[in-house]
Amino acid sequence: MKLFKQSAIAAILSTLALSASAMTPIQDSELSAVTGQDGVSITANLNVKIDSFVYTDTDAVDASTGLGGGSVSFNGIKVNGLIAASIDILSRASFLQAAGAAGVTNPGSFYNSQTGGDVVQIAIPTDVQVANGKFINVAVDAIKMGNSTASFGSLALNQLDLRGTQVWIWAH
């Protein structure tokens, strides 16, 4: 008898689970009342290290002047700091409004303002609060010429604030 009760309870529970997950159609008028959030947000704490970036001049050395050829290397490159971005899909009208607000007077031949479609927007919000010293920093430990071990010094870009930046992507 106990086994029968347990089986009956299991059958009832599985029926409830199936009926709870059933899909039902929704009419356009009902769908217009549905609200929610759209888009995707991305936050990153950057910690990028690059051993070196080397530029090489492949021109032959001029025998009379001694000029030409050579290289310069940027060694010990580091990028760190916080960045937050949101990704949204904009309609043509919303894109043209956002681009206009950013100062774009004509999107040019890449986007047709009359027939263009949706646009993906990647934006770094202006209202993101970042602790002091946590904006993006870029540093180069040494700048060297050719095979020399001597350095011309270092380079730093401190507290690079990208808030308010927008990037738009569309097919063409």
Side-chain angles (χ1 to χ4, degrees):
M1 182 73 164
K2 185 176 180 180
L3 181 61
F4 175 73
K5 284 183 183 179
Q6 289 176 339
S7 297
I9 291 172
I12 290 170
L13 290 175
S14 65
T15 302
L16 289 175
L18 288 175
S19 65
S21 65
M23 294 181 64
T24 58
I26 186 168
Q27 300 299 319
D28 284 342
S29 59
E30 295 169 314
L31 187 58
S32 66
V34 175
T35 61
Q37 291 201 315
D38 62 341
V40 175
S41 296
I42 299 172
T43 303
N45 183 16
L46 301 177
N47 190 19
V48 178
K49 294 179 182 174
I50 302 169
D51 185 44
S52 68
F53 168 79
V54 179
Y55 168 76
T56 302
D57 181 355
T58 58
D59 289 344
V61 176
D62 183 320
S64 63
T65 64
L67 299 176
S71 65
V72 62
S73 64
F74 297 81
N75 304 299
I77 302 167
K78 296 181 277 301
V79 179
N80 59 48
L82 297 172
I83 190 168
S86 63
I87 301 174
D88 290 305
I89 305 297
L90 301 181
S91 67
R92 175 172 30 99
S94 294
F95 163 62
L96 292 172
Q97 181 180 9
V104 176
T105 57
N106 180 353
S109 61
F110 292 112
Y111 185 84
N112 185 319
S113 60
Q114 301 301 313
T115 61
D118 292 344
V119 173
V120 176
Q121 174 180 271
I122 302 171
I124 300 173
T126 56
D127 60 350
V128 170
Q129 300 298 311
V130 178
N132 288 339
K134 294 297 183 179
F135 284 115
I136 296 174
N137 296 298
V138 179
V140 177
D141 289 341
I143 303 170
K144 300 179 180 182
M145 295 291 288
N147 295 324
S148 173
T149 58
S151 173
F152 285 98
S154 61
L155 174 72
L157 289 109
N158 296 314
Q159 298 302 296
L160 183 62
D161 185 352
L162 297 175
R163 292 179 296 178
T165 300
Q166 295 174 311
V167 177
W168 298 296
I169 304 168
W170 63 87
H172 56 88

